[in-house]
Amino acid sequence: MRSLLRLCPLFVVLGILFGAGPAFAGKRVALVLANSAYQHAPSLANPVNDGAVMAKTLKEAGFDVVESWHDLSALDTRRVLRDFADATRDADIAVVYYAGHGIEVEGSNYLIPVDAKLERDTDVYDEALSLDRVLVAVEPAKQLRLVILDACRDNPFGKQMKRTIASRGIGRGLARIEPTNSNTLIAYSAKAGFTAQDGNGANSPFTIALSKHLTTPGLDVRRAFGFVRDDVLKSTGNKQEPFVYGSLGGEDVPLVPVKVTAVAPASPVANPQADVRRDYELALQVGNRAALEAFVAQHPDGFYANLAKLQIDKIQAEQAHAAAIELAKQAEAERDRLAVLGAQKEALAKAAADAKAAEQVQLAAQRAKEQAQQQAAAAEQQRVDLAAAVPSTPPTGTASPVGTSVASLTPATAPADLNRSVQTELGRVGCFSGQADGNWNASSQRSLSQFNRYAGTKLDVKVASTDALDAVKSRPSRVCPLVCERGFKADGDKCTKIVCREGYVVNDDNECEKQRAAKPAKPATAKRDDGDGRPARQRRQAGGAAAGAAGGYGAAAGIAAAAGAGRAAGGGQVFCNSAGCRPVSRGCHLEYRGGGGPGNDANAEVCR
């Protein structure tokens, strides 16, 4: 693996050398044709010189094939074009340069070989070569087909050429042409319908400008012809304007690619803070106070030590705020309890004062927590910006200083620490109001869902993830609306105490409602004990049956007498039937058997 890493810089350099050049830097071929020694027309002085200059220019530009011919006959020209077409089959760029005579007949352009006579206008079809034949030769090229014609001179055959048809037109210069194949350009030394000048020197103004601009490394061919146009216009006093027909795509197409010089990769500079930064990031990932304090013990001074101390202050402020909230809840609960019990005014006043003091402590703790969170967030953002501006990679195999290792503080239940970190960050942005205990419960999931809602994210709320931690940490300030504890309401960016008027208390919906008076306790009532363990229904039926059997007041008197006798006998129960009433025998008792009425005793005397 290390050997592969050592080879990476070499691969980068090779990629620069072989892959960073401009487009169209494949195989390039060129054909240069120049005709000066015409056999049946006045000779031209410059074409052969122009052809030699262009051949030299293309060879020096690194073209793979540069064929140069001059003063060819019609037959030889056709053979040269045929052979050149074979060379263009695997070429990316194909260029044909022609200097000599050229004419236009009936809207078509022709190149004139040195043996052409052109006694009649129709001889052009047999003795000259059409421009279309040249385009066929460059057609196989894959990416650029370029034909350059320095042939817009006066027609030397015009005066002696016979017209077979009076209406057949023989134009001045060359005719306008629109290539039918894509990625094809045809450059004229003069605009269609105009003639070009040979110049006063050994070369034409057009060829001089071509040799200067066409093979500039990295220069798009269209811009190169633009510079050629400017130079020719300037040198001819605006009498000759070169023109290019055809079109290319949006990418630059230079004839010569840019030469890239290999640059050795710079050796990485060792960062003395790499180890400290690594330990700090690990402690920050653990996210508890013990890890940060261990980091400060290892690295007591410096930039990262100050960051760790700010993180410790933030954790302390959060813990103090949580304790203040709990204390305020207890004080408020005690005050409400005393109010319900109707305690004395002194006790109620003391409870109210304690609740007020706890509220002030809570608000102060909340302000301290928010300030510590803002300071820690600002310092952490400064660290991130610094790391982005000056990236550094900690060297492998470097041990931390002797002492408590930060890595050893990573608990076995790492998800709990991640949960706690996400809860802490959610609390910082105002989306979580509970205790950061590492328990990812329904309350924590709702808090992350609230963050998704107000931050426009789509984090998975089922688990606390590093993506969620990074997303929440990236928010510098509050995201969720302010959520206050019971008994407090949002007031801007702070929670203020809800104050109810006298006789009203804060309910579970954080609203003031009228305080309910305590219900008085019911007095205790004495329970009658008549010594009879039977149900009341049995006693009533037994008494009714006895009264019916005795009949009227006499029966009642008999029952009373029997009852008195029974009490004397010690039983206390009276048995009545159709025969009359008598005390229940000693050792016996009555059992209710149901029914009752004439001839049917409801009670039976049971003796055991």
Side-chain angles (χ1 to χ4, degrees):
M1 183 64 182
R2 292 183 178 178
S3 299
L4 181 59
L5 291 175
R6 294 191 191 101
L7 291 176
C8 285
L10 177 60
F11 294 155
V12 172
V13 174
L14 292 177
I16 293 175
L17 287 174
F18 297 104
F24 311 131
K27 182 179 179 181
R28 297 168 295 164
V29 297
L31 173 64
V32 177
L33 299 175
N35 291 335
S36 290
Y38 283 92
Q39 300 172 11
H40 305 284
S43 298
L44 297 174
N46 289 341
V48 172
N49 298 332
D50 294 339
V53 170
M54 287 304 301
K56 179 182 178 182
T57 300
L58 295 172
K59 288 179 181 178
E60 292 177 350
F63 269 64
D64 300 280
V65 175
V66 178
E67 296 183 10
S68 180
W69 301 89
H70 63 88
D71 296 332
L72 294 180
S73 64
L75 180 60
D76 291 338
T77 304
R78 289 186 174 89
R79 289 175 178 172
V80 168
L81 286 174
R82 181 192 62 189
D83 295 340
F84 182 70
D86 294 336
T88 63
R89 295 186 186 280
D90 59 347
D92 295 290
I93 295 177
V95 179
V96 173
Y97 170 85
Y98 172 78
H101 279 304
I103 63 173
E104 175 260 321
V105 177
E106 288 290 300
S108 297
N109 299 308
Y110 296 89
L111 310 184
I112 309 301
V114 294
D115 61 345
K117 294 182 179 180
L118 301 182
E119 296 177 349
R120 293 177 294 275
D121 53 7
T122 55
D123 290 344
V124 71
Y125 304 122
D126 301 320
E127 299 177 7
L129 284 90
S130 69
L131 179 56
D132 291 338
R133 177 65 184 87
V134 179
L135 292 174
V136 170
V138 298
E139 187 176 1
K142 301 179 184 67
Q143 295 168 333
L144 175 63
R145 309 168 187 95
L146 175 60
V147 176
I148 305 172
L149 300 179
D150 191 359
C152 305
R153 295 172 172 85
D154 287 330
N155 181 6
F157 304 96
K159 295 180 180 180
Q160 65 186 28
M161 186 182 295
K162 297 179 181 179
R163 304 292 198 276
T164 57
I165 299 177
S167 61
R168 177 173 287 119
I170 300 176
R172 184 168 178 261
L174 297 178
R176 177 186 178 91
I177 185 172
E178 292 296 338
T180 57
N181 292 328
S182 61
N183 297 327
T184 301
L185 295 181
I186 302 174
Y188 288 179
S189 59
K191 187 186 297 186
F194 292 83
T195 58
Q197 300 180 13
D198 279 334
N200 298 323
N203 300 105
S204 69
F206 183 60
T207 299
I208 293 174
L210 283 175
S211 63
K212 179 180 178 182
H213 298 291
L214 189 60
T215 57
T216 301
L219 181 63
D220 180 71
V221 66
R222 289 160 292 192
R223 293 196 63 197
F225 278 112
F227 292 136
V228 169
R229 168 191 173 275
D230 295 342
D231 285 2
V232 172
L233 282 171
K234 183 178 180 180
S235 62
T236 61
N238 294 327
K239 295 179 181 179
Q240 178 181 337
E241 181 183 5
F243 216 83
V244 179
Y245 300 93
S247 65
L248 299 178
E251 294 184 3
D252 285 350
V253 186
L255 287 186
V256 180
V258 177
K259 294 182 180 180
V260 180
T261 303
V263 179
S267 58
V269 180
N271 186 352
Q273 291 290 314
D275 293 341
V276 182
R277 173 184 172 184
R278 180 198 60 191
D279 288 349
Y280 172 76
E281 290 178 346
L282 180 58
L284 193 64
Q285 184 177 3
V286 174
N288 56 36
R289 183 173 176 177
L292 292 167
E293 289 178 344
F295 172 81
V296 174
Q298 293 180 23
H299 311 286
D301 300 315
F303 174 70
Y304 289 102
N306 294 334
L307 292 180
K309 292 174 183 177
L310 287 175
Q311 294 292 337
I312 293 173
D313 292 342
K314 184 188 76 169
I315 294 176
Q316 290 176 341
E318 291 170 349
Q319 293 174 346
H321 179 246
I325 291 176
E326 186 63 28
L327 181 62
K329 288 181 179 179
Q330 294 175 1
E332 185 177 354
E334 178 65 14
R335 184 197 62 188
D336 294 342
R337 186 185 69 82
L338 293 176
V340 171
L341 294 178
Q344 296 180 356
K345 290 185 178 180
E346 292 79 3
L348 287 175
K350 183 178 182 303
D354 292 342
K356 184 66 175 178
E359 175 190 349
Q360 295 299 326
V361 172
Q362 177 186 348
L363 293 177
Q366 181 174 349
R367 288 192 295 269
K369 182 192 76 170
E370 292 175 353
Q371 182 179 3
Q373 288 175 342
Q374 292 174 0
Q375 291 177 350
E380 184 63 18
Q381 186 62 43
Q382 181 183 1
R383 180 188 72 84
V384 173
D385 295 341
L386 181 63
V390 186
S392 61
T393 303
T396 58
T398 304
S400 297
V402 178
T404 305
S405 174
V406 177
S408 66
L409 295 173
T410 305
T413 57
D417 289 328
L418 181 59
N419 295 347
R420 189 178 298 106
S421 299
V422 176
Q423 289 171 336
T424 301
E425 290 300 320
L426 286 172
R428 180 182 62 82
V429 297
C431 298
F432 181 69
S433 58
Q435 180 70 22
D437 55 3
N439 182 19
W440 194 255
N441 50 24
S443 176
S444 301
Q445 294 177 11
R446 286 194 300 270
S447 299
L448 186 54
S449 178
Q450 287 292 312
F451 178 83
N452 281 337
R453 175 184 176 186
Y454 292 103
T457 55
K458 295 182 180 180
L459 301 169
D460 185 7
V461 302
K462 295 180 181 179
V463 294
S465 62
T466 54
D467 291 340
L469 181 60
D470 293 339
V472 181
K473 276 188 174 182
S474 66
R475 302 291 173 150
S477 58
R478 175 180 294 277
V479 173
C480 298
L482 182 62
V483 178
C484 300
E485 300 292 334
R486 179 179 176 274
F488 291 82
K489 63 180 180 180
D491 184 8
D493 201 35
K494 298 185 300 182
C495 291
T496 58
K497 179 72 174 179
I498 298 176
V499 180
C500 298
R501 61 179 177 172
E502 186 177 358
Y504 286 77
V505 294
V506 179
N507 60 15
D508 293 336
D509 295 329
N510 240 20
E511 297 176 349
C512 293
E513 69 175 10
K514 191 171 183 179
Q515 184 176 355
R516 298 178 182 178
K519 295 182 179 180
K522 294 183 179 180
T525 56
K527 184 177 180 182
R528 179 180 178 181
D529 186 8
D530 54 4
D532 190 353
R534 293 180 301 168
R537 181 182 176 188
Q538 293 184 13
R539 292 197 299 270
R540 287 195 301 271
Q541 289 181 350
Y553 293 102
I559 293 174
R567 283 193 296 271
Q573 291 182 324
V574 177
F575 174 72
C576 297
N577 56 15
S578 59
C581 295
R582 62 176 177 81
V584 176
S585 302
R586 187 179 300 275
C588 300
H589 65 276
L590 295 179
E591 286 188 359
Y592 177 68
R593 299 293 176 86
N600 185 12
D601 296 335
N603 299 307
E605 185 179 21
V606 179
C607 299
R608 295 180 181 177

